[in-house]
Amino acid sequence: MELQLLLMASLLAVFGSSWAQQDGSICIKANAQSCGECIQISETCGWCSDENFRTEFVSTRCDDLESLKKRRCKIIENPRGHFIINKNIPVTVRSKGVTEKLKPEQITQIQPQKLTLNLRSGEAQTFELKFKRADYPIDLYYLMDLSSSMIDDLENVKNLGTQLMKEMQEITSDFRIGFGSISPTPARLLKPCQGNQNCSIPFSFKNVLRLTDNGDEFNRLVSQQQISGNPTSPEGVFDALMQVAVCEEQIGWRNVTRLLVFSTDAGFQFAGDGKPGGIVLPNNGRCHLENNMYTMSHSHDYPSIAHLVQKLGDHNIQTIFAVTEEFQPVYKELENLIPKSQVGTLSSNSSNVIKLIIDAYNLLSSEVILENSKLPEGVSITYKSICKDGAVGTGENGRKCLDISFGDEVHFNISIEAQKCPLHGKTEVITIKPLGFNEEVEVVLNFICDCQCAANGEPNSAKCDGNGTFECGACECNEGRMGRVCECSKFDEWAEVGDANCRNGPDICSNNGDCVCGHCECKKRDNPKERYSGQFCECDNFNCDRANNKLCGGHGRCDCRVCVCDRHYTGSACDCSLDTSTCLAKNGQICNGRGNCVCGSCRCTNSNFQGPTCELCPTCPGVCTEHKDCVQCRAFQAGERKDRCEQECSYFELVKVKGRDKLPVPTDQSFPLSHCKERDANDCWFYFTYAIRNGMKEVYVVEEPVCV
């Protein structure tokens, strides 16, 4: 025994106090077998690659950094994450009103444009993104409902091109405009017009004018348009919106700010509305324009809202709905579903359409909202905005800044963190961009999944008995080998003999681990918070009693399958509270003096009583009737109990008073007080009160009965 104590003392001296207390280190608990496994546990974990570091198990090379230093490790692997800016063109600084036009590719509103992040598990990397609103080119496509009810509106739109060009020059020096029309009900092909109307055959969508900087050409072509024979009805505008979005070449979209204005005095149809007409083939979201006409209205159903939202976002199109007052609620609901969209109220004849477009554009362009592409599994991202006047936003508000004017500069602090390495490959790419803008930031994610020392491994090293790779100061054994220096084989005869040291009953390592060279190495759980432990892996921290679907009732910790309860809790599942405040009655007594407080609830000792504090007794006689005979025998030596009064009625203190006005009154609500009036055998009335004060029962009685 003395020899064992001396040996333990020497081990503690060599390995340090932190090894002796390794139960407190999450790094050691994870049982990492390599440097790569170790650094993925937590950013606080390091790996000792010092070849001369003395440790009994390979896994104890993985420990928190301070502990490794105390244990005298001379070489600690602790790779840290960092980021590199690969492309950093400054944002464009340009005074408003400068007439010189810049090409879209010469304008930069977001900086930097590309970064590479090297991520270690649990360690966030934070970088700053700058946005500066510039004099940016604008492409505006005007889509108009040409149903017969829009005849007045068409007249006002015919001169829209030159007027809008003039107004938009106040906003941008580079503006183009296009025009398209819709008439989505083909039912009146044979007789499209009513009476003497001059109108065209209904069609689904027509690209009338490709985007151009010639306002006069816009006016000329729009002037040639005629209203269709389609009467007022819910409009199938989604077909047209989809084609305008996806047919980039035919529409002429540039890689600039893209505005799509749609004006109507009716509603819309979406996926499923084509089924009554026998059209069941889903919309495929592709361009189907031939000779500038949409050709699939007879075979493809309308797009769904989600599909349309996706395509508008993919093509960076901001939508303005110019609709009449009647349909404002419908399109407001649509606005809530389409990011970077606005709804404006169109006058009955579209006379206010230019002001509506300008106002809607100013609202859209005055907000910057960042979005990111899909994140790899295990990666999270958070945003913090620093907007005008130093206003700070976090959470979802950290993605956006509002009220941004020309030349304003705002900043975003973006943090990206990985919780684990990806299953396939060590590099992923995501993008971050402001909604409605064509610019984006490319972020390359490199995951630190292994240590640099692993690249210098020595295969089949003599230090590993020729059966493993010596890397990072330890042996990583070949398949079928095990042990600190790969000295054991899973197929050796030794394994059968050695199993005896791994048994505490019939099972090896309690079926929760493997016997490696004569000792148990416990299995890892999928949930890193759950673990097996003990010499024979017989313990765990997740198989304890539960209460309210919580381990140990949420009031304790599971230690070797037994709940260790927090203070003021007890029970096998820590579900029994020792707090008695929930058992206090209004009179300040525990359970009204009629029961015991068990696990925070009253258990009434008298089965006649019930209720949260044993205050109810449905089958009991009244207080007055219950105590009448004892009061009568004690105060007047009369009544049914006068012969056994001393034995049965000494449970209260008796006080006699001169008259009824001297009886106590219930001014103190801290204890119950009952006023009683009872009749005796002589038809006389006697008056008394009954109360329980501080656990003592007391009776006040008028000394003379009242006889009539």
Side-chain angles (χ1 to χ4, degrees):
M1 178 62 72
E2 291 179 357
L3 182 60
Q4 289 178 332
L5 291 174
L6 287 172
L7 180 61
M8 181 59 73
S10 65
L11 285 172
L12 287 176
V14 173
F15 299 128
S17 59
S18 105
W19 180 75
Q21 298 173 357
Q22 57 182 269
D23 282 345
S25 169
I26 61 170
C27 308
I28 291 180
K29 288 177 183 176
N31 195 29
Q33 298 299 308
S34 68
C35 188
E37 289 183 16
C38 177
I39 63 173
Q40 293 184 55
I41 298 166
S42 168
E43 76 278 11
T44 63
C45 296
W47 177 270
C48 183
S49 59
D50 182 358
E51 184 177 344
N52 299 316
F53 183 64
R54 296 183 62 183
T55 180
E56 184 178 359
F57 304 112
V58 172
S59 62
T60 55
R61 286 181 175 272
C62 182
D63 205 346
D64 61 82
L65 301 172
E66 288 302 316
S67 295
L68 288 176
K69 292 176 184 177
K70 290 178 182 178
R71 293 168 58 192
R72 302 177 186 176
C73 176
K74 295 180 181 179
I75 307 174
I76 300 175
E77 300 294 329
N78 179 32
R80 310 311 302 180
H82 62 281
F83 68 87
I84 302 169
I85 297 177
N86 307 110
K87 188 177 181 181
N88 196 31
I89 300 173
V91 293
T92 303
V93 179
R94 195 159 178 254
S95 301
K96 188 174 182 180
V98 176
T99 56
E100 179 190 1
K101 284 188 178 182
L102 293 178
K103 295 180 180 178
E105 57 269 21
Q106 295 176 308
I107 300 174
T108 302
Q109 296 185 112
I110 194 165
Q111 178 190 359
Q113 295 81 38
K114 182 177 180 180
L115 304 94
T116 298
L117 272 61
N118 294 296
L119 297 175
R120 176 173 169 180
S121 296
E123 181 186 33
Q125 294 298 316
T126 302
F127 59 91
E128 184 182 67
L129 189 150
K130 181 192 301 182
F131 180 89
K132 186 180 182 72
R133 184 178 168 191
D135 175 11
Y136 208 65
I138 298 173
D139 283 354
L140 185 148
Y141 193 87
Y142 194 92
L143 179 63
M144 187 172 181
D145 170 10
L146 287 186
S147 56
S148 58
S149 59
M150 296 285 286
I151 186 170
D152 293 340
D153 305 77
L154 180 60
E155 291 302 316
N156 282 312
V157 173
K158 288 180 178 179
N159 295 317
L160 178 67
T162 51
Q163 295 176 22
L164 191 56
M165 281 278 186
K166 182 178 179 181
E167 293 291 336
M168 292 301 286
Q169 285 176 357
E170 298 295 319
I171 296 174
T172 178
S173 57
D174 188 354
F175 177 71
R176 299 197 312 166
I177 189 171
F179 184 80
S181 58
I182 63 171
S183 177
T185 304
R188 300 174 59 88
L189 290 174
L190 296 178
K191 189 178 181 181
C193 302
Q194 296 179 352
N196 297 320
Q197 282 184 329
N198 186 20
C199 58
S200 63
I201 295 175
F203 50 85
S204 177
F205 166 62
K206 181 179 181 181
N207 178 29
V208 177
L209 175 64
R210 198 170 184 267
L211 287 161
T212 178
D213 57 4
N214 188 339
D216 292 333
E217 179 68 5
F218 179 95
N219 294 345
R220 185 183 70 81
L221 287 176
V222 174
S223 296
Q224 297 174 5
Q225 303 306 305
Q226 299 175 343
I227 59 105
S228 76
N230 174 33
T232 301
S233 63
E235 304 291 343
V237 302
F238 280 18
D239 278 338
L241 294 175
M242 177 67 79
Q243 293 303 299
V244 173
V246 300
C247 297
E248 290 198 353
E249 183 177 349
Q250 291 90 332
I251 300 298
W253 290 118
R254 296 178 294 172
N255 204 15
V256 298
T257 298
R258 299 173 174 183
L259 299 180
L260 170 53
V261 179
F262 172 63
S263 66
T264 184
D265 62 353
F268 52 83
Q269 295 170 319
F270 50 87
D273 289 340
K275 290 183 179 180
I279 301 175
V280 296
L281 192 65
N283 191 287
N284 61 13
R286 297 175 185 172
C287 181
H288 295 288
L289 290 185
E290 293 183 11
N291 297 323
N292 286 319
M293 300 285 284
Y294 179 52
T295 60
M296 290 294 176
S297 59
H298 61 286
S299 58
H300 282 186
D301 196 4
Y302 303 107
S304 67
I305 294 176
H307 196 187
L308 181 62
V309 169
Q310 176 198 341
K311 291 298 182 181
L312 290 172
D314 289 346
H315 294 270
N316 299 314
I317 293 175
Q318 305 177 64
T319 314
I320 299 172
F321 295 105
V323 299
T324 53
E325 184 73 33
E326 178 186 0
F327 288 94
Q328 281 284 309
V330 175
Y331 283 88
K332 280 289 184 182
E333 291 294 327
L334 193 59
E335 177 190 14
N336 294 333
L337 299 173
I338 302 179
K340 296 290 282 186
S341 65
Q342 284 287 324
V343 175
T345 303
L346 188 68
S347 62
S348 59
N349 59 2
S350 296
S351 59
N352 69 330
V353 68
I354 292 181
K355 182 178 185 305
L356 186 154
I357 293 172
I358 299 295
D359 290 347
Y361 170 75
N362 286 333
L363 284 173
L364 289 171
S365 61
S366 67
E367 63 180 14
V368 179
I369 303 174
L370 297 185
E371 67 167 2
N372 53 267
S373 59
K374 184 179 179 181
L375 298 174
E377 185 180 358
V379 175
S380 61
I381 187 169
T382 57
Y383 294 83
K384 178 182 178 182
S385 59
I386 300 93
C387 305
K388 287 176 65 175
D389 303 322
V392 175
T394 57
E396 281 303 306
N397 290 328
R399 291 176 174 267
K400 59 188 176 183
C401 284
L402 306 178
D403 194 25
I404 306 300
S405 303
F406 178 86
D408 286 344
E409 183 175 294
V410 295
H411 300 260
F412 297 87
N413 291 333
I414 302 173
S415 296
I416 298 179
E417 181 177 344
Q419 294 301 327
K420 61 180 181 180
C421 282
L423 295 176
H424 307 291
K426 296 182 180 179
T427 301
E428 299 277 356
V429 178
I430 65 169
T431 57
I432 300 172
K433 70 174 185 177
L435 279 174
F437 293 85
N438 67 302
E439 297 177 67
E440 64 182 21
V441 180
E442 181 182 347
V443 184
V444 180
L445 306 179
N446 290 329
F447 298 89
I448 303 174
C449 301
D450 214 336
C451 302
Q452 191 171 356
C453 59
N456 303 319
E458 181 185 336
N460 300 320
S461 171
K463 298 174 183 177
C464 305
D465 251 12
N467 295 309
T469 300
F470 187 79
E471 64 177 45
C472 300
C475 289
E476 185 166 335
C477 299
N478 297 337
E479 183 69 27
R481 303 296 297 187
M482 61 188 72
R484 191 168 60 87
V485 291
C486 308
E487 71 274 20
C488 304
S489 170
K490 293 181 180 179
F491 311 105
D492 285 348
E493 292 182 4
W494 174 91
E496 291 185 18
V497 178
D499 284 348
N501 297 326
C502 298
R503 295 179 186 270
N504 185 24
D507 299 321
I508 297 175
C509 300
S510 307
N511 280 333
N512 297 322
D514 298 317
C515 187
V516 180
C517 297
H519 70 272
C520 288
E521 289 193 0
C522 301
K523 295 177 183 177
K524 293 182 181 179
R525 301 273 298 174
D526 291 338
N527 184 346
K529 294 181 180 179
E530 297 179 353
R531 61 184 178 87
Y532 294 108
S533 59
Q535 180 181 354
F536 304 102
C537 303
E538 74 278 11
C539 296
D540 63 57
N541 66 345
F542 54 88
N543 269 321
C544 286
D545 288 345
R546 293 176 177 267
N548 297 323
N549 204 28
K550 294 181 180 179
L551 193 68
C552 298
H555 302 300
R557 59 184 173 84
C558 183
D559 187 2
C560 200
R561 304 188 178 184
V562 176
C563 286
V564 179
C565 300
D566 297 339
R567 190 180 176 188
H568 300 311
Y569 285 91
T570 186
S572 63
C574 301
D575 54 344
C576 182
S577 172
L578 299 177
D579 182 13
T580 60
S581 62
T582 54
C583 296
L584 286 176
K586 292 182 180 179
N587 60 10
Q589 297 185 78
I590 299 292
C591 304
N592 269 303
R594 301 179 183 126
N596 301 314
C597 189
V598 179
C599 298
S601 300
C602 284
R603 290 188 182 175
C604 305
T605 52
N606 188 330
S607 60
N608 291 329
F609 287 90
Q610 57 185 250
T613 55
C614 303
E615 73 278 15
L616 305 175
C617 182
T619 61
C620 293
V623 172
C624 298
T625 304
E626 181 182 358
H627 301 291
K628 164 188 171 184
D629 292 337
C630 281
V631 172
Q632 193 177 9
C633 80
R634 292 270 307 269
F636 308 114
Q637 294 77 46
E640 295 181 2
R641 296 193 181 185
K642 67 178 180 178
D643 295 332
R644 51 187 193 281
C645 192
E646 186 175 346
Q647 293 86 357
E648 298 181 3
C649 298
S650 57
Y651 58 87
F652 58 82
E653 294 291 329
L654 182 69
V655 180
K656 292 185 178 182
V657 297
K658 292 289 186 182
R660 290 168 60 188
D661 58 335
K662 303 298 184 183
L663 291 172
V665 293
T667 56
D668 185 356
Q669 297 299 320
S670 64
F671 62 93
L673 176 69
S674 299
H675 276 256
C676 301
K677 173 185 176 184
E678 295 292 336
R679 189 192 301 268
D680 63 15
N682 299 319
D683 267 354
C684 295
W685 297 95
F686 61 96
Y687 298 86
F688 65 93
T689 62
Y690 178 85
I692 302 175
R693 189 201 303 262
N694 298 326
M696 299 295 295
K697 299 169 183 175
E698 57 184 33
V699 172
Y700 282 74
V701 61
V702 178
E703 61 183 6
E704 292 293 339
V706 178
C707 300
V708 181

